[in-house]
Amino acid sequence: MEARLFKLTAAAVLMLTASCSLKEQVTSYSERDKFYKNVTEIQAGLNACYTPIRSIFSNVNFWQMTECDTDLMYLNVSNQYNAICNISPSRPGCATVIWQNAYYGVSRANTMLNVISQANAKGYISDKEARQLTAEAIVLRALHYYLLTSSFGDVPYYEEEVTEENRARIASLPRMSADDTRDAIIAQLRHHLLPTSKGGIQALELRRTYEDGTDYRIGAAVGLYIGGRMALWNHRWEDAVDFFSTLEEIYGELSKYPLSDVPFSRKYTKESILELPQVYEPNGLQIIGGLAPWTTPVRRVVVVDDEEAAQRDSTHCFYNGIAIPELGYDAHIYSCARPTPYVYQNLLPYNSEDLRSGEYSNGASSPRGGSGNLAWRWSGFDPTTPEEDWTESNRAVMWFTSPAKASGCPWLGNKFWCWDMKYVRDYNNYKIFRYAGALLGLAEAHLMLGDQAKALKYLNMTRRRAALSDLTSVEVGGKDELLMEEIRCEYAKELFGEFCRKFDLVRWGIWYERTIQYNSCSRLLDNIRPCHRYWPIPSNQVANSGGALDNKEYGE
């Protein structure tokens, strides 16, 4: 098989955080020994392992699949198949994107692991450099398998480089137990990332991902988070504690990371473990996603008779009854996802002290410094006010036209909005992994290990930052099942809309029951079945495997 060196192109900066030239081109090399002779060239090859990550997370269907098919939000639009579980092996929706791209990432990581080994054996790179590059490739492969096992459950697993000789055999691999796959990944991450005190070799520096800038490659923090998540899936609670506690040693007190940094418009924040970076430059570099058009209050078009007025009003900034210049004059908004009543009536009601309930909820007349989950009101201008009078002194906090009162359904909040969006070009950085998620993982793991005091300690860290009082064992009745429900609710509030709710519900074994209980989307409720806990393997992939793969759960 022809060896390839993948580099970045300006049209598609598809890796997440590497500092590489945007002018480099994709180049093919038939003789590998002419290339990969130093760290820079091997890093350029590793860049291809980053490519599929963007393809998955920038696809709004993946967000719909992980967040709208849950107890927290819904999108009642007939042609958004992933949001309403209107999928099958023959119409797999986002499953095709996940399957193809994640396995691209696996295959490329396997190739680069072989490349690194050969380069080290030939003396092109030192042993230390080889350990670092190997660990990066291991983390990248782990991320792809995390997405595969979370989305599909049991999937084929392999570690060898694909060649002409083994291609057919690898293509016909059957499903392997997801637990076994995760066990293999956990062992690799433990070895390469954990400090020697925990049995690892610490091949990568233990530091925050975005410590001093935006040019870092995926490092130890991402791998530690993935290892902890996989350990939670497999009920390997001690391993989860090892991974997440190492992150705690790196990131420290949660209180030093402001909740106001959580919105996606806040880029490369120090609490972030992994962000999907995007940029929009008019007539220049454009690396964009499409989430904000599905999460912003609807932009109304004012119909007028006068031609001059019609031209002026075609580029207004009226968002559901409020003029919000910061959201822009050109944004194109679709039918938006909305929170379920379970969220805005129970978890994050309007009158809640929780800073995650909304920037202007609870009667606040100024920003509360929250994470922006929901929006009942916003600071802007009455659309009937002439634009020349839009001054800061005339700005007021107003209700969106719908709902008109606190008991109504709010919009999704500014956590997801893109300021001055151009049509559907969302240039926010999507928050994929955050430190707060690791602390909640510690709360869950310690509870499962029987240490309720430590579980409360870590749960209260995220509560305290959101301006809530600490919970005690008395308040949860001293019962583990009640405390676990509090932890589940805290996951919902803290990580709302961050690509993980369905995965959490599935690993807890409660996805189907909770979704049909709390989700109010009629189209989803018409379609949803227990088999939808995992996405189907696309039927063409089943055919290509020669029957080694199947979708038996969907057949039942």
Side-chain angles (χ1 to χ4, degrees):
M1 178 182 180
E2 184 179 55
R4 294 183 180 272
L5 169 67
F6 292 88
K7 297 186 179 181
L8 295 180
T9 64
V13 185
L14 297 173
M15 60 176 294
L16 287 181
T17 47
S19 54
C20 303
S21 168
L22 299 181
K23 297 180 181 179
E24 294 173 326
Q25 300 297 315
V26 176
T27 310
S28 175
Y29 293 88
S30 297
E31 299 179 37
R32 179 182 295 173
D33 59 358
K34 292 182 180 180
F35 228 81
Y36 302 126
K37 292 187 175 182
N38 55 55
V39 170
T40 300
E41 291 175 351
I42 293 173
Q43 285 179 330
L46 278 170
N47 291 352
C49 305
Y50 290 77
T51 303
I53 303 171
R54 169 169 295 282
S55 299
I56 294 171
F57 282 98
S58 64
N59 189 310
V60 72
N61 294 309
F62 180 69
W63 182 83
Q64 291 177 7
M65 164 195 143
T66 53
E67 296 296 329
C68 295
D69 296 344
T70 72
D71 55 347
L72 302 186
M73 64 177 76
Y74 65 93
L75 180 62
N76 199 14
V77 179
S78 61
N79 66 352
Q80 297 303 301
Y81 307 126
N82 300 278
I84 59 175
C85 282
N86 190 12
I87 48 97
S88 66
S90 60
R91 186 167 67 178
C94 189
T96 297
V97 175
I98 303 167
W99 184 274
Q100 290 181 347
N101 283 284
Y103 272 117
Y104 286 156
V106 168
S107 177
R108 293 166 182 176
N110 289 344
T111 295
M112 292 312 301
L113 285 166
N114 194 26
V115 164
I116 294 164
S117 177
Q118 292 178 7
N120 181 230
K122 294 177 180 179
Y124 297 151
I125 57 176
S126 69
D127 290 345
K128 180 179 179 181
E129 290 168 336
R131 286 194 297 270
Q132 293 171 336
L133 293 165
T134 296
E136 181 180 349
I138 289 291
V139 171
L140 285 162
R141 184 171 66 185
L143 177 54
H144 294 302
Y145 270 120
Y146 166 75
L147 294 171
L148 284 165
T149 55
S150 299
S151 301
F152 299 98
D154 299 343
V155 295
Y157 178 80
Y158 68 101
E159 298 179 356
E160 58 191 300
E161 180 180 5
V162 179
T163 65
E164 291 297 342
E165 289 73 25
N166 66 15
R167 179 189 300 273
R169 176 174 55 79
I170 291 175
S172 60
L173 287 173
R175 290 180 185 252
M176 173 171 154
S177 162
D179 285 348
D180 290 345
T181 296
R182 287 189 285 258
D183 283 343
I185 298 296
I186 289 169
Q188 294 161 18
L189 295 174
R190 284 193 63 92
H191 173 73
H192 289 280
L193 302 183
L194 289 181
T196 54
S197 61
K198 297 178 180 178
I201 65 171
Q202 193 181 319
L204 295 173
E205 180 185 358
L206 297 181
R207 58 159 173 82
R208 291 183 293 198
T209 304
Y210 307 109
E211 184 65 60
D212 299 312
T214 63
D215 59 346
Y216 288 132
R217 306 180 71 87
I218 275 182
V222 175
L224 292 168
Y225 195 93
I226 295 168
R229 292 284 296 181
M230 286 188 157
L232 292 179
W233 270 98
N234 278 19
H235 297 178
R236 293 178 55 169
W237 312 119
E238 293 90 351
D239 289 295
V241 170
D242 281 345
F243 284 118
F244 290 141
S245 64
T246 306
L247 282 171
E248 184 183 13
E249 294 166 12
I250 298 170
Y251 281 78
E253 288 293 327
L254 182 66
S255 58
K256 66 185 179 183
Y257 306 106
L259 201 59
S260 56
D261 275 353
V262 170
F264 295 175
S265 57
R266 300 281 294 175
K267 300 188 175 188
Y268 307 111
T269 58
K270 291 191 182 299
E271 188 203 343
S272 291
I273 292 175
L274 182 61
E275 297 185 6
L276 183 74
Q278 303 186 121
V279 64
Y280 174 81
E281 297 174 1
N283 303 313
L285 187 62
Q286 296 182 15
I287 310 163
I288 53 179
L291 178 56
W294 296 96
T295 57
T296 306
V298 64
R299 179 170 173 261
R300 298 295 186 190
V301 176
V302 178
V303 179
V304 294
D305 295 328
D306 180 78
E307 183 176 346
E308 182 178 346
Q311 176 64 30
R312 181 182 68 248
D313 288 331
S314 67
T315 55
H316 62 71
C317 56
F318 304 157
Y319 293 84
N320 197 211
I322 305 176
I324 310 176
E326 296 84 357
L327 277 177
Y329 293 75
D330 304 307
H332 186 102
I333 307 301
Y334 301 130
S335 297
C336 297
R338 306 296 287 269
T340 63
Y342 171 61
V343 172
Y344 65 83
Q345 292 176 358
N346 298 88
L347 295 179
L348 295 170
Y350 177 78
N351 60 359
S352 173
E353 295 293 332
D354 195 320
L355 293 178
R356 296 164 297 193
S357 64
E359 281 299 279
Y360 296 97
S361 63
N362 202 25
S365 59
S366 59
R368 302 200 302 159
S371 58
N373 286 343
L374 305 177
W376 286 268
R377 304 190 299 162
W378 198 257
S379 177
F381 305 96
D382 190 315
T384 62
T385 302
E387 190 166 348
E388 56 267 24
D389 293 332
W390 289 0
T391 63
E392 285 302 309
S393 61
N394 288 336
R395 187 183 287 271
V397 179
M398 297 178 286
W399 292 102
F400 286 110
T401 300
S402 175
K405 57 183 179 179
S407 60
C409 178
W411 297 99
L412 297 184
N414 60 299
K415 181 177 191 174
F416 311 101
W417 303 351
C418 180
W419 306 109
D420 196 26
M421 186 168 65
K422 304 300 180 185
Y423 307 106
V424 295
R425 298 164 185 167
D426 175 2
Y427 57 91
N428 285 333
N429 277 18
Y430 300 162
K431 304 291 173 68
I432 298 173
F433 300 144
R434 281 193 298 116
Y435 177 45
L439 295 178
L440 291 173
L442 280 170
E444 181 179 349
H446 279 300
L447 180 62
M448 296 299 104
L449 289 170
D451 194 334
Q452 191 177 104
K454 283 189 176 179
L456 284 165
K457 169 190 171 182
Y458 290 106
L459 172 63
N460 285 328
M461 286 183 182
T462 59
R463 287 178 56 86
R464 203 174 301 135
R465 186 174 66 164
L468 298 177
S469 60
D470 286 359
L471 279 176
T472 68
S473 60
V474 174
E475 289 169 301
V476 295
K479 296 182 181 296
D480 286 355
E481 62 268 23
L482 296 179
L483 180 51
M484 187 61 218
E485 183 57 25
E486 289 288 348
I487 292 172
R488 290 188 187 113
C489 291
E490 193 66 13
Y491 271 106
K493 293 184 286 186
E494 180 64 38
L495 305 181
F496 183 74
E498 296 183 34
F499 304 92
C500 62
R501 184 58 175 178
K502 183 178 181 183
F503 295 160
D504 283 332
L505 293 176
V506 171
R507 70 179 179 82
W508 291 325
I510 59 175
W511 169 75
Y512 179 72
E513 293 77 13
R514 288 288 281 261
T515 302
I516 62 173
Q517 180 179 0
Y518 292 119
N519 197 296
S520 51
C521 174
S522 59
R523 289 187 172 93
L524 174 65
L525 296 177
D526 285 343
N527 294 321
I528 191 170
R529 300 292 184 271
C531 64
H532 290 132
R533 65 188 179 125
Y534 293 121
W535 247 222
I537 296 176
S539 57
N540 64 326
Q541 297 294 332
V542 174
N544 291 340
S545 75
L549 298 175
D550 61 70
N551 285 292
K552 290 181 179 178
E553 194 168 2
Y554 275 75
E556 294 171 0

